[in-house]
Amino acid sequence: MTNENPGDRTVEELEEDVQTVEDPGALDDLLTDEEEGKDRKTAKEVIQARIDELEAETKGGEATEDTETEGEYEETAEDVEDPEEAEETAAESDASDSAADADTSDDEAEGDDGLTHPTADKKHVRALDDGVYRDMWVYCETQGGELLDVSKEMLGKARELMDDYETEYGGDERVVAVLVGDDMRDLAEECIALGADVAVYHDDDRLERFRHKPYTEIVADMARTDADWKEYDKPRYFLFPATNNGRDLSAQVQGELDSGLASDCSGLTITNELISNPVKTGTPGEKVDFERILHMKRPDFSGFEYSTILCIDNPDREFHPQGCSVIPGSFDAMEADPGREGEIVSHDIDTPDDWYRVEVTDWDTLDTGVDLTGREVVVAIGRGIGDDPTEGIELALDLVDAFDDADLGLSRGVVTASYSVDGHVEQYVSEERQIGETGQIVQPPLYIAAGISGAIQHKVGMDESETIISINTDTDADIKDFSDYFIEGDLFEVFPRLTEAVEAGELDAVVAEDDD
């Protein structure tokens, strides 16, 4: 409705339509359109009345009277509980989550595991009173006693952002590495060498493997608890790896810290942003310059464009840390400097035995998998193999074998298509070969894409390759726009010619011929 020109409707029609709009920002845009169009007084009064109505609902509802400051929480009669009753309530909640969800009123804000901070009902969380936010935190995931590559990459990007931040804003804010596990001291020192100014670690031999509950509570406690080394309430920014464990932890920690999360990001910048949305500014028509906003770039759900996510405060609500999870391979790690100095902090918190009630007693170790990131050549195939998937894979493997150092990659379309293939190639149709936003990020000297349309999810996984050759029957395919060479043709016909050319050392000539 709000995409239409308000001047195309009568005042009566407009009054009826705006009653269905719940977004003050959309109404503000509608008001602007009316002012710049017919500028009817009665029409503007109708729109403004709906804006005022929504604003009154927000300020006059439960969120005003029952909301408590997360950092300055004051107990009310409803919040004060007998410790024994609290334990009984927690036990009942564990026994029947659905019943608890149905029976818990908006006025209840029970703590979890004896903690005093109110996180049960996010509608009742207000801004900290004069909250102070500083530094960029990076959760550094480990495996087998080593930092994951994505942890090193995030430290490198964080270092770059904070160096630019100091130049732009004059603030001396730090990169803070966060580690949880067993025997983390040496890895904390490695984080300093890789760009961190501070490395905070929590050691516990029970945390050698990722555990959902204790990891969440420990990292959240690091971020919000007063400590000698940090004179602020919460981090300004928080980066997590977009791995299985990282996605799990990031959502839980950001929820505990009463903020939001942008997931699977591949681009980060910090800049100011001029915002006119009254939900954010508090006043329709007013523009506010929000400073030091983390712009978190990720492929959007359409698959064809990028979206930039902002975590911006409301008038009565501060969203800090501004947090996101980062796709592995999106950034470069900085070269380690063993002589680099920084502060190492050992974190301590009493961890109830109940946090460890789930114990992993047996597990299998997976194979190392397929790592495409170090290959000189990656030959990737997409849905274009659909006419004969088995032959398509065979032809791609023939081309792979013609190179000295090459491997096969897949688009998500192949992984999810459930093609029927013969057994001898079935091993190659696996998610671990997927390239893109939810797969591997590669940047080889030569990337050959066949039968791939070039959706944004795939592009983010390979567009940093030095030379990109794409093969497609569709001359309007998006991948053509970011390819160095585009070959119009059927991969079933082109692959054999490329294989022959590589074996004869004549690839450049064939590419030039087909590109013409």
Side-chain angles (χ1 to χ4, degrees):
M1 187 278 291
T2 56
N3 290 330
E4 300 176 9
N5 189 326
D8 294 338
R9 283 160 288 175
T10 66
V11 174
E12 291 75 20
E13 291 172 339
L14 193 62
E15 184 174 16
E16 180 178 352
D17 288 345
V18 298
Q19 294 306 312
T20 65
V21 180
E22 301 293 334
D23 181 7
L27 291 167
D28 190 51
D29 292 340
L30 197 66
L31 183 60
T32 301
D33 290 341
E34 178 62 33
E35 291 172 343
E36 295 176 351
K38 291 188 175 181
D39 199 25
R40 296 169 293 180
K41 179 180 178 181
T42 51
K44 290 188 293 183
E45 289 175 348
V46 164
I47 300 170
Q48 186 62 54
R50 179 56 178 163
I51 293 175
D52 294 341
E53 181 180 353
L54 291 177
E55 187 175 357
E57 289 176 1
T58 301
K59 292 184 177 180
E62 296 175 340
T64 297
E65 294 192 11
D66 295 334
T67 301
E68 299 293 346
T69 300
E70 189 269 357
E72 302 291 337
Y73 185 59
E74 297 178 2
E75 293 180 331
T76 63
E78 291 83 4
D79 294 319
V80 177
E81 295 181 326
D82 181 81
E84 294 183 1
E85 292 180 0
E87 289 183 5
E88 293 175 1
T89 302
E92 292 171 0
S93 176
D94 286 340
S96 178
D97 287 341
S98 60
D101 288 341
D103 295 338
T104 300
S105 70
D106 286 342
D107 290 330
E108 294 173 338
E110 299 173 357
D112 188 19
D113 296 306
L115 300 178
T116 58
H117 51 83
T119 58
D121 188 345
K122 298 304 176 190
K123 292 187 296 184
H124 290 255
V125 177
R126 275 190 177 178
L128 289 170
D129 186 16
D130 297 324
V132 178
Y133 312 102
R134 291 178 60 82
D135 296 346
M136 175 167 283
W137 285 40
V138 179
Y139 171 69
C140 297
E141 186 175 351
T142 66
Q143 189 174 56
E146 296 182 355
L147 290 173
L148 293 185
D149 287 344
V150 65
S151 300
K152 301 175 184 179
E153 294 160 5
M154 290 190 300
L155 286 173
K157 184 61 178 179
R159 178 76 273 146
E160 175 192 327
L161 288 171
M162 288 297 94
D163 288 345
D164 292 343
Y165 183 97
E166 183 175 358
T167 300
E168 180 71 20
Y169 298 104
D172 184 18
E173 300 203 14
R174 302 167 295 180
V175 175
V176 179
V178 175
L179 300 113
V180 178
D182 182 30
D183 196 17
M184 293 285 105
R185 171 75 193 202
D186 289 345
L187 292 181
E189 294 180 355
E190 185 178 352
C191 287
I192 298 295
L194 288 167
D197 300 300
V198 182
V200 188
Y201 70 94
H202 183 96
D203 264 345
D204 190 319
D205 57 11
R206 295 172 295 179
L207 298 174
E208 181 180 4
R209 296 171 58 82
F210 177 79
R211 289 177 174 231
H212 174 96
K213 177 67 172 178
Y215 269 62
T216 297
E217 296 291 356
I218 289 167
V219 174
D221 184 74
M222 287 178 176
R224 67 182 162 212
T225 301
D226 292 337
D228 293 338
W229 65 272
K230 72 177 185 75
E231 298 178 353
Y232 52 86
D233 296 294
K234 293 181 185 178
R236 189 188 299 276
Y237 315 107
F238 212 143
L239 309 185
F240 300 83
T243 59
N244 289 338
N245 292 339
R247 289 187 176 104
D248 181 327
L249 185 68
S250 61
Q252 293 296 320
V253 169
Q254 288 296 100
E256 282 293 316
L257 298 179
D258 305 312
S259 192
L261 178 76
S263 60
D264 297 343
C265 295
S266 59
L268 300 173
T269 55
I270 297 174
T271 186
N272 296 344
E273 189 71 26
L274 189 64
I275 299 295
S276 61
N277 188 331
V279 172
K280 302 299 181 183
T281 65
T283 305
E286 180 182 1
K287 294 184 178 180
V288 175
D289 192 17
F290 288 82
E291 295 185 344
R292 310 176 188 189
I293 301 301
L294 183 64
H295 288 57
M296 299 166 282
K297 182 180 176 182
R298 57 152 293 154
D300 70 8
F301 294 110
S302 73
F304 296 100
E305 295 183 4
Y306 282 100
S307 294
T308 298
I309 313 299
L310 308 179
C311 194
I312 296 180
D313 301 338
N314 286 347
D316 298 316
R317 178 84 163 82
E318 290 179 296
F319 292 94
H320 287 85
Q322 300 173 45
C324 70
S325 60
V326 175
I327 299 173
S330 297
F331 307 118
D332 295 327
M334 64 176 283
E335 186 175 347
D337 178 6
R340 194 171 184 279
E341 295 183 356
E343 184 177 2
I344 296 179
V345 179
S346 176
H347 174 266
D348 186 36
I349 180 179
D350 292 332
T351 57
D353 290 339
D354 186 54
W355 289 3
Y356 300 91
R357 62 183 179 268
V358 175
E359 182 178 359
V360 179
T361 59
D362 190 22
W363 62 85
D364 292 326
T365 301
L366 299 177
D367 294 336
T368 56
V370 177
D371 183 6
L372 304 176
T373 58
R375 296 294 192 178
E376 290 292 316
V377 180
V378 174
V379 177
I381 52 178
R383 289 183 179 272
I385 66 171
D387 290 343
D388 191 337
T390 298
E391 183 184 358
I393 295 172
E394 289 175 336
L395 292 175
L397 291 173
D398 288 342
L399 181 55
V400 166
D401 291 340
F403 290 101
D404 292 331
D405 182 20
D407 210 338
L408 179 70
L410 306 174
S411 73
R412 180 170 177 79
V414 174
V415 174
T416 59
S418 300
Y419 288 129
S420 176
V421 298
D422 292 345
H424 67 288
V425 300
E426 186 175 2
Q427 60 180 309
Y428 294 98
V429 185
S430 62
E431 188 173 357
E432 62 184 356
R433 292 185 178 275
Q434 182 179 320
I435 294 171
E437 176 193 2
T438 53
Q440 297 192 47
I441 308 291
V442 299
Q443 41 188 336
L446 177 60
Y447 187 88
I448 301 175
I452 297 175
S453 64
I456 288 295
Q457 284 95 333
H458 187 79
K459 180 184 178 184
V460 299
M462 46 68 71
D463 65 346
E464 294 298 320
S465 303
E466 292 181 21
T467 301
I468 299 173
I469 300 174
S470 57
I471 305 165
N472 207 300
T473 56
D474 181 7
T475 57
D476 293 326
D478 290 331
I479 199 167
K480 181 179 181 181
D481 296 335
F482 53 92
S483 297
D484 298 288
Y485 299 96
F486 179 80
I487 301 175
E488 181 185 356
D490 191 325
L491 67 86
F492 291 92
E493 299 175 0
V494 176
F495 265 161
R497 296 182 61 193
L498 287 180
T499 301
E500 292 176 5
V502 172
E503 292 174 341
E506 299 173 349
L507 176 60
D508 290 341
V510 172
V511 169
E513 174 189 340
D514 284 313
D515 191 49
D516 291 338

